[in-house]
Amino acid sequence: MSLDKPYLDVPGTTIFDADQSRKGYWLNQFCMSLMKAENRARFKADEDAYLAEWPMTDEQKAAVRARDLNWAMKTGGNIYFLSKLGATDGLSFQQMAGSMTGMSEQQYRDMMVAGGRSPEGNRVVGEGGDAQGAMSQSAAWKAWEEKTQKDLSAAVQQAQAATESGAKGRARISASVYSSHVPAIGAAIDHGKTAEPYWAPLFKGFEPSKQWMKEHTPDVIFLVYNDHATNFDLSVIPTFAIGTAAEFEPADEGYGPRPVPKVMGHPRLASHIAQSVIQQDFDLTIVNDLKVDHGLTVPMNLMFGSPAQWPCRVIPFHVNVVQYPVPSGARCFALGQAIRRAIESYDEPLNVQIWGTGGMSHQLQGPRAGLINADWDNRFLDRLIADPKGLSTMPHIDYVREAGSEGIELVMWLIARGAMADVAGGPAPKVAHRFFHVPASNTAVGHLILENKG
Ligand code: DHB
Ligand code: FE
């Protein structure tokens, strides 16, 4: 994988990136739990019983029992999280850091008093510095490694064989899909109302889409949506957030969770995208635990119907359009281009679609609720197809005035559009389907499928 991880050859150092974070999720969550006095007391009273409550790996639990911080970090632990374990044992940060160096507490303290460890010879693996040796290991870790060596060599052989026989190539974006995500559409599906006169014309407009999707099922959907006060409450609302978990349950938005399958993620590709996009100077929030709301599940139903399992993996990508300031159209369009570069640098021949959801015109609040602007919406669709760059410079106030306060969701469509090949100098996309319908609940429903050619 062509991930740019220049920090891998820094001696005696583990950088906590999205891959480590995913690996260490439950270990670090366990550590966080020790911030409560009551949990510390329970852990101290019976470590095994307390650890049994956490879905950590056996190795992570063994590393915790051994209090071997190097070992814990190897399994995904992060020092700031692990420090809660040290604190529970009454250790200072200096004692914890020193415990990983192979020095005695006194030796480490003396080294710090004498000015600290020198970077000379410790910048790159293979230089002659004093941090170049093997990591200090507890007896428990050594015993663990001996025991697992056999399994490990088998796993390495297997991985090598898979790499050699595996198909070579890069991921590519084959198409983008745009759709409103009105929750009432989900309710109509869940309550068997799709054939009612109010709903039938809407679902008819998505019949060609379902057919198209049968013929163009991707491996992965990069699905841009906004969390609607579901996963993110007002304590934290990230501007851009990527879901790196292995699975995402449908959220309970107050009516009970929708009866739709859980969404299977693609942690490796998601981590790769996070790494690449952040290195392109977009600040993404990495989310390891996320429940997905109607913003994501309703478009899935519109495109796939109601299967027992979703037929592909999904990377949820949240954009804040709830609390101002929300990102500009231009920022979203540029982000889409960065996402395209990230996806197309992933060394596995995956077929990836990128979806933009939300909109079109709607206002859900105040005396102006119910605003619909079909002309404006259709011009938005025209320009999204033929002039996305020009469209991306439209200021927020135009969305609000013309398409209603919640019409601002449409900036998310520019992320998907920015990821299409023509924006990077390729051929113009083919419009495989276009549909517009008023109303669904409070909203004008718009829908487009754009295929990348070649
Ligand atoms: C409606 C539309 C939305 O996009 C949404 O998030 C919630 C409600 C509606 O039209 O009712
Ligand atoms: Fe919405």
Side-chain angles (χ1 to χ4, degrees), residues 19-307:
D19 286 322
Q20 284 292 105
S21 172
R22 175 159 44 82
K23 198 157 85 174
Y25 180 74
W26 283 116
L27 168 59
N28 292 312
Q29 292 292 81
F30 149 76
C31 290
M32 284 299 283
S33 78
L34 298 177
M35 291 175 77
K36 287 208 171 92
E38 158 207 334
N39 290 341
R40 289 195 292 273
R42 285 206 298 124
F43 175 64
K44 279 187 191 163
D46 188 343
E47 287 196 13
D48 286 349
Y50 192 78
L51 285 170
E53 294 172 17
W54 293 89
M56 296 151 59
T57 64
D58 290 343
E59 184 175 5
Q60 287 170 330
K61 289 180 186 177
V64 168
R65 280 194 206 94
R67 302 294 195 275
D68 184 330
L69 297 186
N70 282 326
W71 189 10
M73 298 219 317
K74 180 181 156 274
T75 66
N78 168 281
I79 185 57
Y80 293 112
F81 291 80
L82 293 169
S83 74
K84 318 299 181 197
L85 177 62
T88 300
D89 291 334
L91 299 180
S92 69
F93 256 101
Q94 189 173 74
Q95 287 170 311
M96 291 183 243
S99 79
M100 290 182 269
T101 61
M103 302 164 94
S104 72
E105 210 178 306
Q106 191 57 47
Q107 284 171 325
Y108 186 79
R109 181 194 284 271
D110 291 347
M111 176 181 81
M112 296 316 293
V113 169
R117 190 188 300 281
S118 166
E120 292 311 319
N122 288 326
R123 293 187 172 94
V124 182
V125 165
E127 294 180 327
D130 57 4
Q132 295 277 348
M135 235 175 230
S136 73
Q137 284 189 306
S138 60
W141 187 7
K142 277 189 198 134
W144 181 278
E145 285 203 330
E146 259 161 47
K147 185 168 68 96
T148 50
Q149 214 161 32
K150 232 176 51 215
D151 312 347
L152 204 64
S153 65
V156 168
Q157 269 173 8
Q158 235 174 31
Q160 272 171 352
T163 317
E164 279 155 23
S165 68
K168 300 266 191 299
R170 301 252 157 153
R172 68 186 177 86
I173 294 177
S174 54
S176 53
V177 173
Y178 308 81
S179 167
S180 307
H181 60 212
V182 182
I185 296 174
I189 295 168
D190 300 344
H191 298 109
K193 293 185 176 164
T194 58
E196 288 184 359
Y198 180 89
W199 289 111
L202 175 106
F203 287 102
K204 190 156 175 282
F206 282 86
E207 279 310 315
S209 319
K210 285 195 261 185
Q211 191 51 43
W212 178 87
M213 194 48 106
K214 280 199 183 112
E215 291 151 18
H216 297 86
T217 310
D219 300 303
V220 185
I221 298 165
F222 188 90
L223 202 155
V224 181
Y225 78 111
N226 63 296
D227 181 85
H228 299 78
T230 301
N231 201 82
F232 304 123
D233 63 29
L234 284 183
S235 57
V236 179
I237 301 186
T239 300
F240 299 119
I242 185 165
T244 51
E247 33 184 82
F248 307 92
E249 297 281 352
D252 182 346
E253 296 176 58
Y255 309 100
R258 291 197 57 216
V260 292
K262 71 179 166 200
V263 168
M264 305 308 291
H266 199 303
R268 254 167 55 91
L269 176 58
S271 298
H272 170 89
I273 294 170
Q275 176 93 7
S276 167
V277 167
I278 291 170
Q279 281 173 354
Q280 295 177 66
D281 298 332
F282 286 89
D283 305 316
L284 306 189
T285 299
I286 291 169
V287 186
N288 284 314
D289 182 11
L290 178 74
K291 290 202 164 55
V292 288
D293 72 14
H294 67 269
L296 184 142
T297 60
V298 166
M300 290 293 283
N301 284 125
L302 286 170
M303 297 304 291
F304 291 113
S306 301

